Amino acid sequence: REPLLWRDNQTRQVREAVSNVEKHFGELCQIFAAYVRKTARLRDKADLLVNEIYAYAATETPSLKLGLKNFADEFSKLQDYRQAEVERLEAKVVDPLKSYGTIVKLKRDDLKATLTAKNREAKQLSQLERTRQRNPSDRHIIYKAESDLQRASMDATRTSRQLEETIDNFEKQKIKDIKSIFSEFITIEMLFHGKALEIYTAAYQNIHNIDENEDLEIFRSSLYPPDYQSRLDIVRANSKSPLQRTGSSKFSSGIIQMAEL
């Protein structure tokens, strides 16, 4: 009975380990996949933003136009890196987690084979006990039942050892894969954010370099016709006060009278 109890305990632990991976890897896969989809949607919205900035920049004064265009160029470049981020996350994070669906199915098949052998062994043990109770003196029947139990026990022992080896490799590979998946995730995100910092720094400088005074002068000059300055001078010349004009007339008359004398 002890081997049966030991195998029952082993089978239960294996089943729990496989179920635990199935549950949590499935959840991780779904959430990481949603993370990647959100990142892809952010890239799409950023592309729309770039197009709108280009459209707006085309309508503005030179310095602002150049600053916005250069900003949009940098922001567009960032979306190329975001696209690479999406593709790498799919390949290095989501797909490996997704593959555990197949891996778990194979482990359940191994577990099923072990359970089948264990149940056969338990059945043969019960059969032997019943035979001994019903036919204690029939050595032939008892010997056959003992032989059947021995074969069933050998088969159960073999499948249990195979399962033990399989689940050991499964645990080893699981830990290795988790380390690899999360390391890849961190590396991909660090690469993207490192590039993002570099690009945003350049984009900030482009915005900072916009000369508002230059653009304001250009805007103000656009409000008036080309000959505005010469016309303004004429207006200023004709806008002298009456007293100034009277004084000038008297002065001119005095000069004329002196000349006549």
Side-chain angles (χ1 to χ4, degrees), residues 29-42 86 90:
C29 183
Q30 289 182 20
I31 295 170
F32 270 123
Y35 180 94
V36 174
R37 289 194 299 272
K38 289 281 188 181
T39 303
R41 282 199 288 271
L42 181 59
V86 168
E90 282 280 1

Side-chain angles (χ1 to χ4, degrees), residues 197-212:
L197 180 60
E198 177 185 325
I199 290 171
Y200 276 129
T201 300
Y204 176 85
Q205 192 60 49
N206 287 323
I207 295 300
H208 184 72
N209 288 341
I210 294 173
D211 190 334
E212 55 264 45

